[in-house]
Amino acid sequence: QQQVKQSPQSLIVQKGGISIINCAYENTAFDYFPWYQQFPGKGPALLIAIRPDVSEKKEGRFTISFNKSAKQFSLHIMDSQPGDSATYFCAASRRNRDDKIIFGKGTRLHILP
Amino acid sequence: DAGVTQSPTHLIKTRGQHVTLRCSPISGHKSVSWYQQVLGQGPQFIFQYYEKEERGRGNFPDRFSARQFPNYSSELNVNALLLGDSALYLCASSLVLGQGADNEQFFGPGTRLTVL
């Protein structure tokens, strides 16, 4: 049972363009939605996260948009750079003490120079 | 400051063997979680430990076990290895239990296990 669905599986964007990755979740009890960035040979690193009481969060070139009624959230990377080429995972969890993070399957992003 | 460290980096085993993976959390972090990442997939939760006690277990068979030591380091053990156990095993540490902006999980580089 996949609780977090992520699309697309892979994405190619020209340098300077906007990269958009979408995720949908099923469990309405989730209340913490992080995005992770993973480079080859490295573990995932937290990029940006949002709570459901906020519809948008921006950090530099990275923005999360959140639609609670649709149970969807997305990551936008503005002015995409070759250094952004990595695998991106959306995730969801409950901020309870004993809860785990549920990851999406990942999006392989390649930014063309 | 050292991040989460894991050893070994790579490991090759044959079916039926046993393996032990090790993780040292960031200094001051008391919670350690283990994840399995199969090629092309997102990490899947295996275990979470806090203050040496198991506080969460994912949908993995009993062949998987773990423990946390008094210095908060952790071991993941897998018995009777199967081909399907081939994956990147990730360890993550955080200050305390739970997720949130004030309790980020930091991941190590992982141990790449290949089962032949």
Side-chain angles (χ1 to χ4, degrees), chain B residues 16-85:
Chain B
Q17 284 190 312
H18 161 271
V19 69
T20 297
L21 310 181
R22 295 177 176 82
C23 170
S24 291
I26 292 172
S27 177
H29 285 194
K30 297 182 177 180
S31 178
V32 169
S33 298
W34 287 95
Y35 292 82
Q36 180 195 64
Q37 186 177 17
V38 173
L39 197 62
Q41 302 287 317
Q44 265 202 296
F45 173 78
I46 309 175
F47 287 110
Q48 183 174 43
Y49 277 77
Y50 177 67
E51 291 282 16
K52 303 184 291 290
E53 287 188 9
E54 182 183 305
R55 299 299 295 267
R57 173 184 279 258
N59 190 21
F60 281 80
D62 291 344
R63 300 184 294 107
F64 289 76
S65 64
R67 54 180 176 167
Q68 186 178 31
F69 298 99
N71 66 353
Y72 303 108
S73 66
S74 178
E75 277 183 359
L76 176 70
N77 295 283
V78 187
N79 292 324
L81 285 166
L82 303 174
L83 295 179
D85 295 331

Side-chain angles (χ1 to χ4, degrees), chain A residues 9 32 36 38 41-47 57 87 89 93-106, chain B residues 35 37 40-45 48 50 55-58 88 90 97-101 104-110:
Chain A
Q9 208 169 358
Y32 178 67
Y36 289 84
Q38 185 176 28
K42 304 282 188 182
L46 179 66
L47 190 63
K57 182 174 181 180
T87 300
F89 296 95
S93 76
R94 295 185 297 175
R95 286 178 293 119
N96 290 345
R97 293 177 64 79
D98 290 356
D99 241 17
K100 62 196 180 203
I101 300 176
I102 308 294
F103 285 84
K105 289 191 175 184
Chain B
Y35 292 82
Q37 186 177 17
Q41 302 287 317
Q44 265 202 296
F45 173 78
Q48 183 174 43
Y50 177 67
R55 299 299 295 267
R57 173 184 279 258
L88 180 69
L90 294 162
L97 283 176
Q99 276 52 256
E104 178 184 344
Q105 281 207 355
F106 292 85
F107 284 83

